[in-house]
Amino acid sequence: MSQREQQQAQAGAFIHGLLIEKQCDYDAFYHLTFLLGNSILLPVFSSASRIVGARGAPGPQLQVGRSYHLLLLMRPRQLKYRGMGEGAGKPGLVALALRQVARDARGVSGERIVLQHHPVSGRIIDPDWEWEHQRYILVETAIGRAVLNRKAAQDDLKERAGELAAGSLLEWELWRSELLAVLDGARPGSS
């Protein structure tokens, strides 16, 4: 079994969600919203040119109402390393309440509050994980496995970058998560 086939066989450990909203800007950038278990709404950014699926499906092929296993690239503002002996907590989520204007066919129909969730920490599974000939840090978050850019992490952590080890915790401030790959084919909406 190839490395990619092994990674796809482990897709169940990665983030799994139902695509409930898909907005496109400039025919290349997508703002996706996935509904995860426990009513968690996860916003995800994607560039159609970067997404690689099990069948080579690009971002435009993602369909609202279908479930996907996702390989997400977490893009933190500030990354902090907590070694195993530093009293680090469990991987967590933070929720942000966003005000949005709801529109219908007649125009504006009022405001709504949308509670979006973002992973803010992850336990390192593999500090030097490979995907599509790129090196990442594989982490277990509160919602499933995701990756961090290894080079960006080294820049943030500076002298502590050499200490990265499986079992340690990384914490970050929110910025965004990007869709790096769809790990399996789409399945009809039931999770």
Side-chain angles (χ1 to χ4, degrees):
M1 184 182 281
S2 73
Q3 181 181 8
R4 183 169 176 113
E5 289 171 330
Q6 289 173 345
Q7 290 166 342
Q8 287 177 338
Q10 296 174 2
F14 287 85
I15 297 167
H16 178 255
L18 174 68
L19 181 61
I20 61 169
E21 187 175 47
K22 175 178 160 181
Q23 298 174 3
C24 182
D25 293 332
Y26 310 111
D27 294 327
F29 301 100
Y30 288 85
H31 302 279
L32 309 168
T33 303
F34 289 90
L35 177 62
L36 311 183
N38 299 325
S39 301
I40 293 172
L41 287 180
L42 181 69
V44 174
F45 174 81
S46 76
S47 168
S49 62
R50 289 194 52 198
I51 301 173
V52 178
R55 296 184 192 131
Q61 300 304 316
L62 295 178
Q63 297 176 9
V64 171
R66 296 205 175 241
S67 292
Y68 298 93
H69 279 98
L70 311 168
L71 177 57
L72 296 184
L73 173 64
M74 297 297 151
R75 296 263 188 201
R77 281 195 180 123
Q78 179 62 38
L79 190 62
K80 297 175 187 168
Y81 176 74
R82 303 282 185 233
M84 288 181 264
E86 294 183 47
K90 294 172 63 175
L93 284 174
V94 69
L96 296 176
L98 303 176
R99 289 186 180 272
Q100 293 183 346
V101 176
R103 290 186 170 86
D104 59 21
R106 298 170 307 213
V108 176
S109 61
E111 276 190 338
R112 67 179 178 159
I113 302 294
V114 177
L115 197 61
Q116 295 181 343
H117 298 77
H118 301 266
V120 292
S121 62
R123 182 123 358 246
I124 297 173
I125 296 170
D126 186 344
D128 192 25
W129 190 71
E130 183 177 346
W131 175 263
E132 298 290 333
H133 308 293
Q134 299 289 323
R135 300 309 235 181
Y136 298 97
I137 300 170
L138 180 64
V139 294
E140 182 74 40
T141 72
I143 55 175
R145 291 184 180 177
V147 295
L148 295 162
N149 181 298
R150 189 162 170 71
K151 172 73 172 108
Q154 289 172 336
D155 291 346
D156 267 0
L157 298 174
K158 298 181 183 14
E159 67 276 349
R160 295 210 67 187
E163 298 176 32
L164 293 176
S168 298
L169 191 75
L170 291 170
E171 297 174 342
W172 54 83
E173 291 181 30
L174 300 178
W175 188 38
R176 72 178 185 204
S177 54
E178 294 181 15
L179 184 56
L180 194 58
V182 174
L183 297 174
D184 58 359
R187 295 186 309 265
S190 61
S191 327

